[in-house]
Amino acid sequence: MERAEVLKRVIGILTEAQEIRRAVERGEEGDPPEAEAGVVTHLLNEMLPSISVPADASPQQVARHVAEALGPALHTMVAGFSLAFTSLAMAHDAGRTDVSSIEVLQELALEVEAGTYDDGA
C-alpha cells in the first residue's frame, strides 16, 4: 500500500473516532466506542502483509521474516499517526479556534492527496 493511501486511511480512522466520540457524548444511539477497534482492525488487515515462513524455520528465522515483512508497514503507519498528531498539535498550540480538529484532518488529507508528503512523513 502506498504511503499516501496509508496516510489517508490513518486520517480516516482519526476522523471516524472523533465522530464516534461526539455521538457518544451527545448520547446518540449508534456505534459504541468499541466500533473504533473494528476500523483499526480493518486497517491492519489491509496494510499488514501476509507472512510465510518455512515449516522448519528456527525461532530466529521466524523473527527475521516477521520483522522484514512488518517493519516497513508499521513504520509507515506510525509515521502517518505521527503526522496527524503533529498537525493537530500545531493547530492546538497556535490557538486555532477557527477550525475543528476534523477540519485540520481534512486539510491534511488534501495535502496528502496533493503529494505534499510523498518524500517522507
Side-chain angles (χ1 to χ4, degrees):
M1 186 176 287
E2 292 183 28
R3 176 189 302 271
E5 185 63 29
V6 171
L7 294 173
K8 288 187 279 187
R9 300 230 179 187
V10 165
I11 292 165
I13 284 174
L14 294 173
T15 301
E16 186 168 336
Q18 284 189 8
E19 291 168 357
I20 291 169
R21 180 176 177 187
R22 288 182 179 159
V24 169
E25 288 173 350
R26 290 188 303 262
E28 293 178 4
E29 293 296 322
D31 292 336
E34 296 83 29
E36 181 182 339
V39 175
V40 173
T41 300
H42 184 70
L43 173 75
L44 291 173
N45 286 336
E46 286 184 347
M47 289 185 49
L48 297 180
S50 296
I51 301 171
S52 298
V53 294
D56 61 345
S58 70
Q60 293 82 8
Q61 290 170 323
V62 171
R64 185 173 43 83
H65 281 290
V66 170
E68 288 172 357
L70 295 181
L74 292 174
H75 179 270
T76 302
M77 280 193 307
V78 169
F81 278 104
S82 297
L83 176 63
F85 174 82
T86 300
S87 298
L88 291 165
M90 289 172 62
H92 176 271
D93 291 349
R96 297 279 315 265
T97 58
D98 59 321
V99 294
S100 69
S101 55
I102 288 179
E103 290 170 327
V104 172
L105 291 172
Q106 288 171 342
E107 177 63 30
L108 180 58
L110 292 173
E111 291 173 4
V112 168
E113 189 65 33
T116 302
Y117 300 100
D118 284 351
D119 292 333

